[in-house]
Structure formats: structure tokens, C-alpha cells
């Protein structure tokens, strides 16, 4: 069983890609709607909430958990992997969405920190759109810089965008907000144009058309959910102990720390088909 975690609905965009790319697996989705959004919370709170929810997924038998949330991946994952996991559950694994994204951008495997300078990235510019906390973590520019120092990275925080998406705001309002964030990021480039945009929040695929409309036409928008799904497929090939397809292949189950009555209709838009959330019992799943 593979656990997929996000602060709310956003991770459903990743789960959707996983069920297409790796359909033989059994997935448990957990959205921490009671505490969403994470993007403006302080680092310690994001760490603790993420740890608690990973623990919940472990407790029902998900030995592999994917943080389908850029904020949790950027802010909490390294600390979880280095200080908590080795003591709490050394045989389990927690993965995130930042690593596959960096690998896709730089074309450099994660373990390579100082690639030979081949000049391939000389003229590249990457724009990252993300929550405030992801931007403040500096994860994207730092990790890209380690592997492809010649790629210029411009970051743009998009405060409030997750709230608007979760509140099912009108397309006109979403377009206006996204347009404002894109204009701000382009202004920081002094007339330069990014070649690639990372929508570094798993909620943003829902407003990808607005990003595409606001960005110059030549900008490629990285398809993070599919990049993450491809990366997980490669991970499972390297780690067959976690590659345990379930022949009965029951449909994913969806749990929330919030009130299922308030989230079902919107969640289906993220997942692309009907989603029925179950309330998380206080004792666990
Ligand atoms: N969807 C998440 C992300 O990728 C978190 C959004 C939030 O809770 O602020 O960053």
C-alpha cells in the first residue's frame, strides 16, 4: 500500500497521475484539511503536522509514503528522513515531490551534487511559483544550484492562491490572481523570459491554464504530477521491496482530518473523477 499525503486536495493531482502510471498499486490518500493550507504556517507546525500524518499512514500499513505537497516536501522531508524515520520506522520510506522536479529540470540525478560544467544550461531560466513557505525554504533554487549552477531561478510566492482554489473561486478571479503573480515574477526578470515554469504547489495544476495564458507562449510548464509518477515508477524498480502491486487492486481510499461533507464535490475536480472522503477517526484510520 502506498500512502499519499497532502495538506488538502492538491495531492489528488499527483494521485491521479500515479493511478494512471502505476495502476496496479493500492493507494491510501490522506488530506489534512483540518489544518490546510500549510503554505503560510510556520516551519515547526508544518513539520509536526506532516510527521503526525505520515505516522497515521504508517500505522495502517503504508510502508511507503509520498508527500504530494511541495510545502511539506520542501520544509519537512529532509528532517523527517534524517532525524525521525531512522528511529521511528527504519524500514519505511518517505518521499517527496521536490526531488523528482529538480531531477527533471536539471537532468542530473539527485545523488550528483557537482556535475561537470558542460554549458548545457547556460541560457536557461526557470520560474518557480509556490506557497510562501516553499519559496522561503529556498529548496528549489538551492537544489537546482547544486546540480546546474548556470540555471537562473526566479521564485514567486503566490499567497492566497491555495485558499482561492480550495474555496472554488470563480475562473475570472483565479485568472486575475494568477496574472498578477506572473506579472510580478516577469518584472523581476528585467525583460528576460523563463524557458520553464515549475508550478511548485500541487494545487496549481487546477489553475495551469491561467498560468499558461499569463506566461509568454514559449514557456514550458513542467507537468509535476507526471514527473513525480515517472520518478516513483523508477524508485519502485530500484526498490522492489516497496513494489508490491495488489492484484485485487481496489480503488484508492480517501481520508481527511476535516469534514467530508464540505470537500467532496471540489475534490473530484482535482482527481478527475468522483472522490468520496471518509472522516479520519481520532484513533487513526
Ligand atoms: N498543495 C500543497 C503544496 O504543494 C500545499 C498547499 C498549502 O497547503 O498551502 O504546497
Amino acid at each position: 500500500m502506498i500512502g499519499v499525503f497532502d495538506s488538502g486536495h492538491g495531492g489528488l493531482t499527483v494521485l491521479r497521475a500515479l493511478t494512471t502510471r502505476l495502476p496496479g498499486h493500492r493507494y491510501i490518500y490522506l488530506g489534512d484539511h483540518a489544518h490546510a493550507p500549510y503554505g503560510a504556517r510556520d516551519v515547526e507546525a508544518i513539520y509536526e503536522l506532516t510527521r503526525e500524518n505520515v505516522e497515521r499512514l504508517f500505522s495502517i500499513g503504508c510502508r511507503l509514503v509520498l508527500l504530494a505537497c511541495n510545502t511539506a516536501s520542501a520544509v519537512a522531508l529532509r528532517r523527517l528522513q534524517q532525524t525521525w524515520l531512522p528511529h521511528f520506522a527504519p524500514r519505511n520510506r518517505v518521499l517527496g515531490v521536490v526531488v523528482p522536479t529538480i531531477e527533471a529540470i536539471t537532468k542530473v540525478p539527485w545523488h550528483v551534487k557537482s556535475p561537470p560544467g558542460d554549458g548545457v544550461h547556460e541560457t536557461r531560466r526557470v520560474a518557480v511559483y509556490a506557497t510562501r513557505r516553499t519559496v522561503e525554504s529556498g529548496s528549489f533554487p538551492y537544489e537546482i544550484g547544486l546540480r546546474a549552477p548556470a540555471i537562473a531561478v526566479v521564485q514567486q510566492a503566490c499567497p492566497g492562491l491555495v485558499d482561492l482554489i480550495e474555496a472554488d473561486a470563480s475562473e475570472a478571479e483565479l485568472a486575475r490572481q494568477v496574472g498578477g503573480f506572473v506579472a510580478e515574477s516577469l518584472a523581476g526578470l528585467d525583460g528576460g523570459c523563463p524557458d520553464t515554469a515549475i508550478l511548485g504547489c500541487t494545487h496549481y495544476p487546477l489553475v495551469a491554464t491561467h498560468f499558461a495564458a499569463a506566461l509568454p507562449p514559449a514557456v514550458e510548464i513542467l507537468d509535476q504530477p507526471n514527473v513525480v509518477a515517472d520518478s516513483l515508477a523508477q524508485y519502485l524498480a530500484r526498490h522492489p521491496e516497496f513494489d508490491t502491486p495488489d492484484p485485487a487492486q481496489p480503488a484508492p481510499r480517501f481520508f481527511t482530518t476535516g469534514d467530508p461533507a464540505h470537500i467532496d464535490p471540489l475534490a473530484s475536480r482535482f482527481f478527475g473523477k468522483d472522490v468520496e472522503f471518509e472522516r479520519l477517526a481520532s484513533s487513526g484510520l
Side-chain angles (χ1 to χ4, degrees), residues 6-8 10-11 36-40 68-72 97 131 134 162 200-203 224:
D6 180 54
S7 58
Y38 279 14
C69 173
N70 287 270
T71 309
V97 293
T131 64
T134 298
V162 165
C201 171
T202 53
H203 282 71
Q224 192 187 48

Side-chain angles (χ1 to χ4, degrees), residues 184-231:
E184 214 176 299
S185 66
L186 295 179
L189 282 171
D190 287 335
C193 178
D195 55 87
T196 310
I198 298 173
L199 304 189
C201 171
T202 53
H203 282 71
Y204 298 174
L206 249 74
V207 288
T209 52
H210 299 311
F211 275 99
L215 284 161
V219 181
E220 184 196 342
I221 297 180
L222 187 88
D223 183 349
Q224 192 187 48
N226 280 317
V227 162
V228 171
D230 283 344
S231 171

